[in-house]
Amino acid sequence: LEALSREEVDLVISSDPEEISGLTFAPLFDYEARLVVAKGHALAAKPFASPDDLRDETLITYPVERARLDVFTGFLGPARVEPRAHRQVELTAVILMLVASGRGVSVLPDWVLREGPMGGHMRGDVVSLALGAAGVTRRIFAATRTEDTARPFMAHFIRLARSEPVKLQRG
């Protein structure tokens, strides 16, 4: 967001809107954070995970501060549960391979797990389940400089970013 304010980038995709003078956050789409486990994992047969289910697990996440990870802010934190270990990995494909090989569990957005270049090839090796009976759902936003929001190229990008995920969800 600082780079956006300094005009080093034109748009930031974020699930954490902030009140920052000169920036506008446009809602794009909602997603569900899903626990991903190996197909043979003990949790794979459950309809949803409880925070206690992760107490003895190695949790694999992206290298992002904990305050920005849904699994901590919306699931484990409120229950005051810590995983046995926390490992950070940059690439989604590597996270999925580690999970599939039983080296840990992860929480990823549902759209990552759908058919496609990132998640589809692992579909038979991993299982995803909701975080809690109600699940954990978040919204993705496009942050832009307020004066750029109505520019044709930006307005078109935001329209596409809103419509394409809906098409993917519908198959």
Side-chain angles (χ1 to χ4, degrees), residues 29-94:
F29 60 90
D30 293 341
Y31 69 92
E32 181 184 3
R34 305 275 300 174
L35 178 67
V36 185
V37 301
K39 187 176 182 179
H41 193 285
L43 295 174
K46 291 186 72 172
F48 60 87
S50 71
D52 279 331
D53 289 332
L54 275 66
R55 190 178 303 275
D56 295 323
E57 299 292 339
T58 296
L59 180 63
I60 304 168
T61 69
Y62 294 112
V64 176
E65 58 192 82
R66 286 173 63 117
R68 297 191 60 219
L69 291 169
D70 300 331
V71 65
F72 288 109
T73 60
F75 189 62
L76 295 176
R80 299 182 189 265
V81 170
E82 283 292 320
R84 179 177 47 83
H86 180 203
R87 179 177 182 183
Q88 296 183 326
V89 175
E90 289 189 20
L91 300 174
T92 303
V94 175

Side-chain angles (χ1 to χ4, degrees), residues 121-138:
H121 65 282
M122 299 297 297
R123 186 177 301 250
D125 299 323
V126 298
V127 173
S128 77
L129 49 153
L131 296 175
V136 173
T137 303
R138 298 286 310 268

